[in-house]
Amino acid sequence: MTSRLPALAALFLLAGCTAAPPPRPLAAMVPADDNLNATAWVQNAVEHDLIYLQTYRDAQQHLAAALDDAQWDALTAADRTWPARGLPPAVVLDVDETVLDNSPYQARLVRAHAAFDQASWNAWCLQARARAVPGVVAFTRDAAAHGVKVIFISNRDKALDEATLANLRQVGVPVAGPDVLLGLGTSVPGCTAHGSDKGCRRQWVSRHYRVLMQFGDQLGDFLDIAQNTPAGREAAIKPYLEWIGQRWFVLPNPSYGSWEPALFGNDWQLSPQERRERKIESLRVD
Ligand SMILES: [Mg+2]
């Protein structure tokens, strides 16, 4: 029997060479580590750092004019539920990828071939070891030095408040007190929050502050989006394009965000493979 094995093996090899390969789904033909390039860019491309630096420097240069102009306010009409006139000034910043750099968490996922999950995310946040993104410490310190309250609206769960405040203090951004962090689950009287929308928390800010500027890496950091589709997102931002770089400062996030589920109908029930198929289909090739 053993003498016939090489011949059989050659036969199988030949068959393997000549048979047509079974059709493979498009997503299987693209390497699966979608976040490898994004995370490598965030951590290693100096261009990433320069975008943050120029954004916060631009904002710093606009701050004096915003302070002097009593009409200047960076909340939408929907969020401005109380007249801004006479209120003390504030700036509103998202936390993740706007103040704190969580790319080490993404890097851990890439290396472990793992996907985001709440438990590993919470564990990372509780370590309170994130670094500040470039430019944010200088900007927020300058704002505070000019009497501007620095407010953080984050979709980190409120249970992470203590660790998040410790991390913010550790990197050197001004934290006036625990009430400057409005995490997910913050109760705002008279306002019913929908999911992780930040509108109610912006409305709370509107009752206490004139908002000079908002900063974020997600559209939802600036306004609530009625329809999270590519077209719905473009329609939502269109009335505010003049505010970009003046009142609203947008930062890059290639790793995650609501832009991504918009590409597969926000349907997280789809398998990872199906989601990848939809994303590949969304690519424009001319
Ligand atoms: Mg963010």
Side-chain angles (χ1 to χ4, degrees):
M1 285 291 287
T2 49
S3 62
R4 293 178 63 188
L5 274 177
L8 276 173
L11 199 64
F12 281 124
L13 203 62
L14 192 64
C17 287
T18 54
R24 289 193 299 165
L26 194 53
M29 293 154 67
V30 177
D33 255 337
D34 300 283
N35 251 339
L36 175 56
N37 255 13
T39 306
W41 182 79
V42 166
Q43 293 197 334
N44 299 303
V46 72
E47 292 87 345
H48 163 274
D49 291 0
L50 298 180
I51 291 170
Y52 276 84
L53 202 57
Q54 79 186 7
T55 302
Y56 280 114
R57 279 187 182 166
D58 278 355
Q60 202 165 336
Q61 285 169 6
H62 282 95
L63 195 65
L67 258 175
D68 289 347
D69 181 352
Q71 305 299 315
W72 186 290
D73 186 62
L75 291 184
T76 66
D79 290 336
R80 172 51 65 198
T81 54
W82 190 265
R85 197 173 181 80
L87 295 178
V91 288
V92 173
L93 298 93
D94 165 55
V95 172
D96 296 315
E97 281 46 78
T98 298
V99 179
L100 298 179
D101 166 13
N102 300 292
S103 61
Y105 172 71
Q106 300 296 334
R108 293 176 191 186
L109 295 182
V110 169
R111 286 199 175 178
H113 300 287
F116 172 91
D117 71 82
Q118 202 63 48
S120 64
W121 168 251
N122 288 358
W124 158 255
C125 293
L126 287 170
Q127 288 185 339
R129 288 179 56 187
R131 301 176 192 181
V133 298
V136 73
V137 174
F139 169 76
T140 49
R141 284 185 177 175
D142 183 64
H146 286 87
V148 177
K149 186 64 77 76
V150 180
I151 306 278
F152 305 94
I153 300 183
S154 172
N155 276 343
R156 287 189 178 194
D157 192 271
K158 274 200 74 60
L160 297 166
D161 272 6
E162 199 178 318
T164 304
L165 287 165
N167 203 157
L168 291 170
R169 288 193 181 99
Q170 188 268 328
V171 299
V173 295
V175 177
D179 59 337
V180 299
L181 174 60
L182 306 176
L184 186 62
T186 300
S187 169
V188 178
C191 189
T192 305
H194 302 286
S196 58
D197 282 355
K198 294 182 170 180
C200 283
R201 287 170 279 169
R202 282 189 294 265
Q203 289 183 29
W204 182 89
V205 174
S206 87
R207 298 172 194 171
H208 302 278
Y209 298 98
R210 176 166 73 93
V211 177
L212 306 182
M213 297 171 175
Q214 296 199 83
F215 297 81
D217 64 299
Q218 305 289 325
L219 218 47
D221 295 330
F222 304 91
L223 78 175
D224 289 347
I225 308 161
Q227 260 207 321
N228 193 46
T229 61
R233 292 163 57 78
E234 276 194 39
I237 196 66
K238 201 173 175 187
Y240 302 99
L241 289 179
E242 284 195 12
W243 286 13
I244 303 300
Q246 305 277 335
R247 304 179 194 205
W248 291 1
F249 293 85
V250 188
L251 296 156
N253 187 345
S255 292
Y256 66 90
S258 51
W259 60 268
E260 187 189 3
L263 302 181
F264 51 81
N266 306 289
D267 185 358
W268 289 101
Q269 300 302 313
L270 294 175
S271 70
Q273 175 116 337
E274 288 169 320
R275 298 201 297 262
R276 285 164 51 69
E277 289 279 357
R278 299 279 189 91
K279 285 194 279 185
I280 292 168
E281 284 165 13
S282 80
L283 296 176
R284 180 163 46 78
V285 293
D286 59 25

Coordinates of all heavy atoms in Angstrom, one line a residue, residues 37-105:
N37 N -4.5 49.0 9.3 CA -4.0 50.2 8.6 C -4.5 51.5 9.4 O -3.7 52.4 9.6 CB -4.5 50.3 7.2 CG -3.4 50.0 6.2 OD1 -2.4 49.5 6.6 ND2 -3.6 50.4 5.0
A38 N -5.8 51.4 9.8 CA -6.3 52.6 10.6 C -5.5 52.8 11.9 O -5.1 53.9 12.2 CB -7.8 52.4 10.9
T39 N -5.3 51.7 12.6 CA -4.6 51.9 13.9 C -3.1 52.2 13.7 O -2.5 53.0 14.4 CB -4.7 50.6 14.7 OG1 -6.1 50.2 14.8 CG2 -4.1 50.7 16.1
A40 N -2.5 51.6 12.6 CA -1.1 51.9 12.3 C -1.0 53.4 12.0 O 0.0 54.1 12.4 CB -0.6 51.0 11.2
W41 N -1.9 53.9 11.2 CA -1.9 55.3 10.8 C -2.1 56.2 12.1 O -1.3 57.2 12.2 CB -3.0 55.6 9.8 CG -3.1 57.0 9.3 CD1 -2.3 57.6 8.4 CD2 -3.9 58.1 9.8 NE1 -2.6 58.9 8.2 CE2 -3.6 59.2 9.1 CE3 -5.0 58.1 10.7 CZ2 -4.2 60.5 9.3 CZ3 -5.6 59.4 10.9 CH2 -5.2 60.5 10.2
V42 N -3.0 55.9 12.9 CA -3.2 56.8 14.1 C -2.0 56.8 14.9 O -1.6 57.9 15.4 CB -4.4 56.2 14.9 CG1 -4.5 56.8 16.3 CG2 -5.7 56.4 14.2
Q43 N -1.3 55.7 15.1 CA -0.2 55.6 16.0 C 1.1 56.0 15.4 O 2.0 56.5 16.1 CB 0.0 54.2 16.5 CG -1.2 53.8 17.4 CD -0.9 52.6 18.3 OE1 -0.1 51.7 17.9 NE2 -1.6 52.5 19.4
N44 N 1.3 55.9 14.1 CA 2.6 56.1 13.5 C 2.7 57.2 12.4 O 3.8 57.7 12.2 CB 3.1 54.8 12.8 CG 3.2 53.7 13.8 OD1 3.9 53.8 14.8 ND2 2.4 52.6 13.6
A45 N 1.6 57.6 11.9 CA 1.7 58.7 10.8 C 1.8 60.0 11.5 O 0.9 60.4 12.3 CB 0.5 58.6 9.9
V46 N 2.8 60.7 11.2 CA 3.0 62.1 11.8 C 1.9 63.0 11.3 O 1.5 63.9 12.0 CB 4.4 62.7 11.5 CG1 4.6 63.1 10.1 CG2 4.7 63.8 12.5
E47 N 1.3 62.6 10.1 CA 0.2 63.4 9.6 C -1.0 63.4 10.5 O -1.7 64.4 10.6 CB -0.2 62.9 8.2 CG 0.8 63.0 7.1 CD 1.8 61.9 7.0 OE1 2.0 61.1 8.0 OE2 2.5 61.8 5.9
H48 N -1.2 62.3 11.2 CA -2.3 62.2 12.2 C -2.1 63.3 13.2 O -3.0 64.1 13.6 CB -2.4 60.8 12.8 CG -3.1 60.7 14.0 ND1 -2.6 61.0 15.3 CD2 -4.4 60.4 14.3 CE1 -3.5 60.8 16.2 NE2 -4.6 60.5 15.7
D49 N -0.9 63.3 13.8 CA -0.6 64.3 14.9 C -0.7 65.7 14.4 O -1.2 66.6 15.1 CB 0.8 64.1 15.4 CG 1.0 62.7 16.1 OD1 0.0 62.0 16.2 OD2 2.1 62.4 16.6
L50 N -0.3 65.9 13.1 CA -0.4 67.3 12.6 C -1.8 67.8 12.4 O -2.1 69.0 12.6 CB 0.4 67.4 11.3 CG 1.9 67.1 11.4 CD1 2.6 67.2 10.0 CD2 2.6 68.0 12.4
I51 N -2.7 66.9 12.0 CA -4.1 67.3 11.8 C -4.7 67.7 13.2 O -5.4 68.7 13.3 CB -4.9 66.1 11.2 CG1 -4.5 65.9 9.8 CG2 -6.4 66.4 11.3 CD1 -5.1 64.6 9.2
Y52 N -4.4 67.0 14.2 CA -4.9 67.3 15.6 C -4.3 68.7 16.0 O -5.0 69.6 16.5 CB -4.5 66.3 16.6 CG -5.5 65.1 16.6 CD1 -5.4 64.1 15.8 CD2 -6.6 65.2 17.6 CE1 -6.4 63.1 15.8 CE2 -7.5 64.1 17.6 CZ -7.4 63.1 16.7 OH -8.3 62.1 16.7
L53 N -3.0 68.8 15.7 CA -2.3 70.1 16.1 C -2.9 71.3 15.4 O -3.1 72.3 16.0 CB -0.8 69.9 15.8 CG 0.2 70.8 16.6 CD1 0.0 70.6 18.1 CD2 1.6 70.5 16.2
Q54 N -3.0 71.1 14.1 CA -3.6 72.3 13.4 C -5.0 72.6 13.8 O -5.4 73.8 13.8 CB -3.4 72.1 11.9 CG -4.4 71.2 11.2 CD -4.1 71.0 9.7 OE1 -3.1 71.3 9.2 NE2 -5.0 70.4 9.0
T55 N -5.8 71.6 14.1 CA -7.2 71.8 14.5 C -7.2 72.6 15.8 O -7.9 73.6 15.9 CB -7.9 70.5 14.7 OG1 -7.8 69.8 13.4 CG2 -9.3 70.7 15.1
Y56 N -6.5 72.1 16.8 CA -6.5 72.8 18.1 C -5.8 74.2 18.0 O -6.2 75.1 18.7 CB -5.9 71.9 19.2 CG -7.0 70.9 19.7 CD1 -6.8 69.6 19.4 CD2 -8.1 71.3 20.3 CE1 -7.7 68.7 19.8 CE2 -9.1 70.4 20.7 CZ -8.9 69.1 20.5 OH -9.9 68.2 20.9
R57 N -4.8 74.3 17.2 CA -4.2 75.7 17.0 C -5.2 76.6 16.4 O -5.3 77.8 16.7 CB -2.9 75.6 16.2 CG -1.7 75.1 17.0 CD -0.5 75.2 16.2 NE 0.7 74.8 16.9 CZ 1.8 74.5 16.3 NH1 2.0 74.6 15.0 NH2 2.9 74.1 17.1
D58 N -5.9 76.2 15.3 CA -6.9 77.0 14.6 C -7.9 77.5 15.7 O -8.3 78.6 15.7 CB -7.5 76.2 13.5 CG -6.7 76.2 12.3 OD1 -5.7 76.9 12.2 OD2 -7.1 75.5 11.3
A59 N -8.4 76.5 16.5 CA -9.4 76.9 17.4 C -8.9 77.9 18.4 O -9.6 78.9 18.8 CB -9.8 75.6 18.2
Q60 N -7.7 77.7 18.9 CA -7.1 78.7 19.8 C -7.0 80.1 19.2 O -7.3 81.1 19.9 CB -5.7 78.2 20.2 CG -5.2 78.8 21.5 CD -3.9 78.0 22.0 OE1 -3.7 76.9 21.6 NE2 -3.1 78.7 22.8
Q61 N -6.8 80.2 17.9 CA -6.7 81.5 17.3 C -8.0 82.1 17.1 O -8.1 83.3 17.0 CB -6.0 81.3 15.9 CG -4.5 81.2 16.0 CD -3.8 80.8 14.8 OE1 -4.4 80.7 13.7 NE2 -2.5 80.5 14.8
H62 N -9.1 81.3 17.1 CA -10.5 81.9 17.0 C -11.1 82.2 18.3 O -12.1 82.8 18.4 CB -11.4 80.8 16.3 CG -11.2 80.8 14.8 ND1 -10.4 79.9 14.2 CD2 -11.7 81.6 13.8 CE1 -10.4 80.1 12.8 NE2 -11.2 81.1 12.6
L63 N -10.5 81.7 19.4 CA -11.1 81.8 20.7 C -11.4 83.2 21.2 O -12.5 83.5 21.7 CB -10.3 81.1 21.7 CG -11.0 80.7 23.0 CD1 -12.1 79.7 22.8 CD2 -10.0 80.2 24.1
A64 N -10.4 84.1 21.0 CA -10.6 85.5 21.4 C -11.8 86.2 20.7 O -12.6 86.8 21.4 CB -9.3 86.3 21.2
A65 N -11.9 86.0 19.4 CA -13.0 86.6 18.7 C -14.3 86.0 19.1 O -15.3 86.7 19.2 CB -12.8 86.3 17.2
A66 N -14.4 84.7 19.4 CA -15.6 84.0 19.9 C -16.0 84.6 21.2 O -17.2 84.8 21.5 CB -15.4 82.5 19.9
L67 N -15.0 84.8 22.1 CA -15.3 85.3 23.4 C -15.9 86.8 23.3 O -16.8 87.1 24.0 CB -14.0 85.4 24.2 CG -13.8 84.3 25.3 CD1 -12.4 84.4 25.9 CD2 -14.8 84.4 26.4
D68 N -15.3 87.6 22.4 CA -15.7 89.0 22.3 C -17.1 89.2 21.7 O -17.7 90.2 21.9 CB -14.7 89.7 21.5 CG -13.4 89.9 22.3 OD1 -13.4 89.7 23.5 OD2 -12.3 90.3 21.7
D69 N -17.5 88.2 20.9 CA -18.8 88.3 20.1 C -19.9 87.7 20.9 O -20.0 86.5 21.0 CB -18.6 87.6 18.8 CG -19.9 87.7 17.9 OD1 -20.9 88.2 18.4 OD2 -19.8 87.3 16.7
A70 N -20.7 88.6 21.5 CA -21.8 88.1 22.4 C -22.8 87.2 21.7 O -23.6 86.4 22.3 CB -22.5 89.2 23.1
Q71 N -22.9 87.3 20.3 CA -23.8 86.5 19.5 C -23.3 85.2 19.2 O -24.0 84.3 18.6 CB -24.2 87.3 18.2 CG -24.7 88.7 18.4 CD -26.0 88.7 19.2 OE1 -26.9 87.9 18.9 NE2 -26.0 89.6 20.1
W72 N -22.0 85.0 19.4 CA -21.3 83.7 19.0 C -21.8 82.6 19.9 O -21.6 82.6 21.1 CB -19.8 83.9 19.1 CG -19.0 82.8 18.6 CD1 -18.8 81.6 19.1 CD2 -18.1 82.9 17.5 NE1 -18.0 80.8 18.4 CE2 -17.5 81.6 17.3 CE3 -17.8 83.8 16.5 CZ2 -16.6 81.3 16.3 CZ3 -16.9 83.5 15.5 CH2 -16.3 82.3 15.4
D73 N -22.4 81.6 19.2 CA -22.8 80.4 20.0 C -22.7 79.2 19.0 O -23.0 79.2 17.9 CB -24.2 80.5 20.5 CG -24.6 79.3 21.4 OD1 -24.0 79.1 22.4 OD2 -25.6 78.6 21.0
A74 N -22.2 78.0 19.6 CA -21.9 76.9 18.7 C -22.9 75.7 18.9 O -22.6 74.6 18.5 CB -20.5 76.4 19.1
L75 N -24.1 76.0 19.5 CA -25.1 75.0 19.6 C -26.2 75.2 18.5 O -26.5 76.4 18.1 CB -25.8 75.1 20.9 CG -25.0 74.7 22.2 CD1 -25.8 74.7 23.4 CD2 -24.4 73.3 22.0
T76 N -26.8 74.1 18.0 CA -27.8 74.3 17.0 C -29.1 74.8 17.7 O -29.2 74.8 18.9 CB -28.2 72.9 16.5 OG1 -28.8 72.1 17.5 CG2 -27.0 72.2 15.9
A77 N -30.0 75.3 16.9 CA -31.3 75.8 17.5 C -32.0 74.8 18.3 O -32.6 75.1 19.3 CB -32.2 76.4 16.4
A78 N -31.9 73.5 17.9 CA -32.5 72.4 18.6 C -31.9 72.2 20.0 O -32.6 71.9 21.0 CB -32.4 71.1 17.8
D79 N -30.6 72.4 20.1 CA -30.0 72.2 21.4 C -30.0 73.5 22.3 O -29.8 73.4 23.5 CB -28.5 71.8 21.2 CG -28.4 70.4 20.6 OD1 -29.4 69.6 20.8 OD2 -27.4 70.0 20.0
R80 N -30.1 74.7 21.6 CA -30.1 75.9 22.4 C -31.5 76.2 23.0 O -32.3 76.9 22.4 CB -29.6 77.1 21.4 CG -29.7 78.5 21.9 CD -29.0 78.7 23.2 NE -27.6 78.6 23.3 CZ -26.9 78.4 24.4 NH1 -27.5 78.4 25.6 NH2 -25.6 78.2 24.4
T81 N -31.7 75.5 24.1 CA -33.1 75.6 24.7 C -33.2 76.8 25.7 O -34.3 77.0 26.2 CB -33.4 74.3 25.4 OG1 -32.3 74.0 26.4 CG2 -33.5 73.2 24.5
W82 N -32.1 77.5 25.9 CA -32.1 78.6 26.8 C -31.3 79.7 26.1 O -30.3 79.4 25.6 CB -31.5 78.2 28.1 CG -31.7 79.2 29.2 CD1 -30.8 80.2 29.6 CD2 -32.8 79.4 30.1 NE1 -31.2 80.9 30.6 CE2 -32.5 80.5 31.0 CE3 -34.0 78.7 30.2 CZ2 -33.4 80.9 31.9 CZ3 -34.9 79.2 31.2 CH2 -34.6 80.2 32.0
P83 N -31.7 81.0 26.2 CA -30.9 82.0 25.5 C -29.5 82.1 26.0 O -29.3 82.0 27.2 CB -31.7 83.3 25.9 CG -33.1 82.9 26.2 CD -32.9 81.6 26.9
A84 N -28.6 82.2 25.1 CA -27.1 82.2 25.5 C -26.7 83.5 26.1 O -25.7 83.6 26.8 CB -26.3 81.9 24.2
R85 N -27.5 84.6 25.8 CA -27.1 85.9 26.2 C -26.8 86.0 27.7 O -27.7 85.6 28.5 CB -28.1 86.9 25.8 CG -27.7 88.4 25.8 CD -28.7 89.3 25.2 NE -28.3 90.7 25.3 CZ -27.4 91.2 24.4 NH1 -27.0 90.4 23.4 NH2 -27.0 92.4 24.4
G86 N -25.7 86.5 28.1 CA -25.4 86.7 29.6 C -24.9 85.4 30.3 O -24.4 85.5 31.4
L87 N -24.9 84.3 29.6 CA -24.3 83.1 30.2 C -22.8 83.0 30.1 O -22.2 83.6 29.2 CB -24.9 81.8 29.6 CG -26.4 81.6 29.7 CD1 -26.9 80.4 28.9 CD2 -26.8 81.5 31.2
P88 N -22.1 82.4 31.1 CA -20.7 82.3 31.0 C -20.3 81.4 29.8 O -21.0 80.5 29.4 CB -20.3 81.7 32.4 CG -21.5 81.0 32.8 CD -22.7 81.7 32.3
P89 N -19.1 81.7 29.3 CA -18.6 80.9 28.1 C -18.1 79.5 28.5 O -17.5 79.3 29.5 CB -17.5 81.8 27.6 CG -16.9 82.5 28.8 CD -18.1 82.7 29.7
A90 N -18.3 78.6 27.5 CA -17.7 77.2 27.7 C -17.3 76.7 26.3 O -17.8 77.2 25.2 CB -18.8 76.3 28.3
V91 N -16.5 75.7 26.3 CA -16.2 74.9 25.1 C -16.6 73.5 25.4 O -16.5 73.1 26.6 CB -14.8 75.0 24.6 CG1 -14.4 76.3 24.0 CG2 -13.8 74.6 25.7
V92 N -17.2 72.8 24.4 CA -17.6 71.4 24.7 C -16.8 70.4 23.8 O -16.7 70.6 22.6 CB -19.1 71.3 24.3 CG1 -19.6 69.8 24.4 CG2 -20.0 72.1 25.2
L93 N -16.2 69.5 24.5 CA -15.4 68.5 23.8 C -15.9 67.1 24.1 O -16.3 66.7 25.2 CB -13.9 68.5 24.3 CG -13.1 69.8 24.0 CD1 -13.2 70.7 25.2 CD2 -11.7 69.5 23.7
D94 N -15.9 66.2 23.1 CA -16.1 64.8 23.2 C -14.8 64.3 23.9 O -13.8 65.1 24.0 CB -16.3 64.2 21.8 CG -16.0 62.7 21.8 OD1 -16.7 62.0 22.6 OD2 -15.2 62.2 21.0
V95 N -14.7 63.1 24.4 CA -13.5 62.6 25.1 C -12.7 61.7 24.2 O -11.6 62.0 23.8 CB -13.9 61.9 26.4 CG1 -12.6 61.2 27.0 CG2 -14.5 62.8 27.4
D96 N -13.3 60.6 23.7 CA -12.5 59.6 23.0 C -12.2 60.0 21.6 O -13.0 60.3 20.8 CB -13.3 58.2 23.0 CG -13.4 57.7 24.4 OD1 -12.4 57.7 25.2 OD2 -14.6 57.3 24.8
E97 N -10.9 60.0 21.3 CA -10.3 60.4 20.0 C -10.5 61.9 19.8 O -10.3 62.3 18.7 CB -10.9 59.5 18.9 CG -10.3 58.2 18.7 CD -10.1 57.3 20.0 OE1 -11.1 56.8 20.5 OE2 -9.0 57.3 20.5
T98 N -10.9 62.6 20.8 CA -11.0 64.0 20.7 C -10.1 64.6 21.7 O -9.4 65.7 21.5 CB -12.4 64.5 20.9 OG1 -13.3 64.0 19.9 CG2 -12.6 66.0 20.9
V99 N -10.0 64.0 22.9 CA -9.1 64.4 24.0 C -8.1 63.3 24.3 O -6.9 63.5 24.4 CB -9.9 64.8 25.3 CG1 -8.9 65.2 26.4 CG2 -10.8 66.0 25.0
L100 N -8.7 62.1 24.5 CA -7.9 60.9 24.8 C -7.7 60.0 23.6 O -8.6 59.8 22.8 CB -8.6 60.1 26.0 CG -8.7 60.8 27.3 CD1 -9.4 60.0 28.3 CD2 -7.4 61.3 27.8
D101 N -6.5 59.5 23.5 CA -6.1 58.6 22.4 C -6.2 57.2 22.8 O -5.4 56.7 23.6 CB -4.7 59.0 21.9 CG -4.1 57.9 21.0 OD1 -4.8 57.0 20.5 OD2 -2.8 58.0 20.8
N102 N -7.2 56.5 22.3 CA -7.5 55.1 22.7 C -6.9 54.1 21.7 O -7.3 52.9 21.7 CB -9.0 54.8 22.9 CG -9.6 55.7 23.9 OD1 -9.3 55.5 25.1 ND2 -10.4 56.7 23.5
S103 N -6.0 54.5 20.9 CA -5.4 53.6 19.8 C -4.8 52.4 20.4 O -4.8 51.3 19.8 CB -4.5 54.3 18.9 OG -3.4 54.9 19.6
P104 N -4.2 52.4 21.7 CA -3.6 51.2 22.2 C -4.7 50.1 22.4 O -4.4 48.9 22.3 CB -3.1 51.6 23.6 CG -2.7 53.1 23.4 CD -3.8 53.6 22.5
Y105 N -5.9 50.6 22.7 CA -7.0 49.6 22.8 C -7.3 48.9 21.4 O -7.4 47.7 21.3 CB -8.3 50.2 23.3 CG -9.5 49.3 23.3 CD1 -9.6 48.2 24.1 CD2 -10.5 49.5 22.3 CE1 -10.7 47.3 24.1 CE2 -11.6 48.7 22.3 CZ -11.7 47.6 23.1 OH -12.8 46.7 23.0

